[in-house]
Amino acid sequence: MRQARRILAALAVLTTGVIILAALNSGTRHGYLDPRSADPLGSRAVAELLKARGVTTRVVTTAAEAAEATGPRTTLLVTDPDRLGSTQRRTIRSAIDLSGGRTVLLAPGNHSLADLSPGVRAQGDATTDAPAPDCALPAATSAGRAATGGGLRYTTTLPGATACYPSGGHPTLLTLPAGTGGDTVLLGSETILLNESLAEEGNASLALQLLGSRPDLVWYLPSLADSDPDAGAGEDKSLFDLVPSGWSWALLQLFLAAVLAALWRARRLGPLVTEKLPVVIRASEATEGRARLYRKAGARDRAATVLRAAARERLAALTGVPPTRAHDPATLAPAVSARLTDDTRDGTRDGSRDVTALLFGPTPSDDAALVALADHLDALEREVRTS
């Protein structure tokens, strides 16, 4: 009992530690393209670089918050335009037309382009991971090659559009002027904003210039409430995809702890060790105890069967009958009868019935008949043993 309490206490301490660790780690694990996340697929690095340049970053999760926060001094970054519902797309489009600031749309497809940027069409995936700028946009020419080719390409007939980073003849970055003095940037891939790839090529330079042209950055991460129900219908997520990364590490540590505890407490195989029984019970006491149980249950049939089976096995050994034929009436009864005297073959001196009926007969009708059966079996065995 004391050992069980120690084990439970150790498990409680371990569980508490894992929960605390998961809670501490969850502060830096917020998700894909999140400027608060230090994960490889987060965007905390670019947010810190923008902060060092005097740009403040505000995270919003609804289209209404995003539209309210926009203005001439803001850059609005929409991280997943294709996930927005129709109402949210109209809200963002209104903000684009009225804000006078910059709007950056990350990898918008035709699902959202019709509302957010009419006149632009997606042209499939890019074939070059890090194309050259090949345009006159200052941000692109100073950055040089960048990883804009990991996603979509675009085509447009709108006047004043600047097409950069072409792949297969179609740009992966488009800049479109807005009527109120602002502009809209369509970026075909989000790779340049990820922590794991920010230091590659000219990704950092291009990201800072696209997002840092205004003193305020509104980082719009669409929440589930803003999502179009049909936008992610084809994406199947497993249970582990739905568990936050901090808790995934906690579950892994709990699993390893359980494995180690199982190995620690596992049975160690080795040679058998004999132990003295704490109490020695005489065979006669065990026999009397079983007899009392039979009597209490009224199991005369079971008691008679046990008595006759034991007697047959002992008589078979005395008469030379093989053990496998000890319970065969055709074999055992003649062998036993041959060892009896003439006056006990059909009936013993104390009144027992013939050998076959005695060894293989019916169940006694009452307790007195059962006792008589036991006496007759003892007498028969004594007769055979002394013959």
Side-chain angles (χ1 to χ4, degrees):
M1 191 66 182
R2 184 179 301 174
Q3 186 177 8
R5 286 198 295 268
R6 286 200 298 266
I7 294 174
L8 290 177
L11 289 177
V13 172
L14 179 62
T15 303
T16 303
V18 169
I19 293 175
I20 293 174
L21 180 62
L24 293 176
N25 287 341
S26 64
T28 58
R29 299 176 182 270
H30 293 275
Y32 189 69
L33 282 174
D34 196 312
R36 300 162 296 184
S37 175
D39 288 348
L41 299 182
S43 299
R44 184 174 177 180
V46 68
E48 292 295 328
L49 291 177
L50 289 169
K51 181 180 179 181
R53 295 165 63 96
V55 178
T56 60
T57 300
R58 175 186 175 186
V59 177
V60 297
T61 57
T62 66
E65 290 178 320
E68 184 181 356
T70 56
R73 293 171 54 83
T74 63
T75 298
L76 171 61
L77 173 64
V78 184
T79 59
D80 198 351
D82 284 351
R83 234 175 225 290
L84 299 181
S86 57
T87 301
Q88 287 73 25
R89 292 197 296 269
R90 288 194 295 270
T91 301
I92 296 300
R93 180 61 203 180
S94 177
I96 293 174
D97 292 336
L98 301 176
S99 69
R102 167 171 286 182
T103 302
V104 179
L105 304 177
L106 280 186
N110 290 324
H111 181 74
S112 59
L113 284 174
D115 292 328
L116 297 179
S117 188
V120 180
R121 297 287 297 173
Q123 293 295 323
D125 296 335
T127 57
T128 307
D129 291 336
D134 198 16
C135 68
L137 185 68
T141 55
S142 62
R145 290 184 177 273
T148 63
L152 297 174
R153 302 175 298 165
Y154 301 99
T155 182
T156 183
T157 57
L158 295 176
T162 303
C164 297
Y165 296 100
S167 176
H170 297 287
T172 58
L173 187 149
L174 272 179
T175 302
L176 307 173
T180 55
D183 60 2
T184 301
V185 177
L186 277 66
L187 186 58
S189 173
E190 64 275 17
T191 305
I192 67 170
L193 302 182
L194 300 178
N195 294 331
E196 64 181 3
S197 56
L198 186 65
E200 299 173 0
E201 302 288 350
N203 294 349
S205 175
L206 182 61
L208 292 177
Q209 293 183 79
L210 292 180
L211 302 182
S213 61
R214 272 76 170 172
D216 298 312
L217 172 62
V218 179
W219 199 296
Y220 177 27
L221 295 168
S223 63
L224 184 61
D226 274 11
S227 299
D228 187 342
D230 298 328
E235 299 180 7
D236 294 330
K237 292 188 176 182
S238 67
L239 175 63
F240 293 101
D241 294 330
L242 300 176
V243 177
S245 24
W247 290 101
S248 299
W249 282 105
L251 291 175
L252 177 60
Q253 292 178 62
L254 281 175
F255 174 74
L256 292 177
V259 172
L260 292 176
L263 293 175
W264 170 53
R265 298 298 300 169
R267 183 184 298 276
R268 293 173 175 83
L269 300 178
L272 295 177
V273 178
T274 58
E275 294 186 48
K276 293 183 178 180
L277 294 177
V279 178
V280 178
I281 301 176
R282 293 193 298 271
S284 59
E285 294 181 4
T287 302
E288 291 177 1
R290 180 174 294 185
R292 292 191 188 98
L293 292 176
Y294 285 153
R295 182 177 183 181
K296 184 177 181 179
R300 286 188 296 274
D301 55 343
R302 177 60 181 165
T305 300
V306 171
L307 290 173
R308 282 170 167 154
R312 289 197 297 266
E313 291 174 358
R314 292 192 295 269
L315 289 171
L318 293 174
T319 57
V321 175
T324 56
R325 307 297 299 274
H327 305 289
D328 181 12
T331 303
L332 182 63
V336 173
S337 298
R339 300 288 295 270
L340 300 178
T341 60
D342 292 339
D343 58 346
T344 57
R345 286 178 182 170
D346 295 329
T348 59
R349 294 185 180 90
D350 54 356
S352 67
R353 291 179 294 172
D354 65 90
V355 173
T356 302
L358 186 60
L359 295 176
F360 300 94
T363 301
S365 58
D366 52 28
D367 290 347
L370 180 63
V371 173
L373 172 64
D375 292 339
H376 294 162
L377 290 173
D378 285 342
L380 178 63
E381 185 176 346
R382 283 196 302 272
E383 180 71 19
V384 172
R385 192 180 298 275
T386 58
S387 63

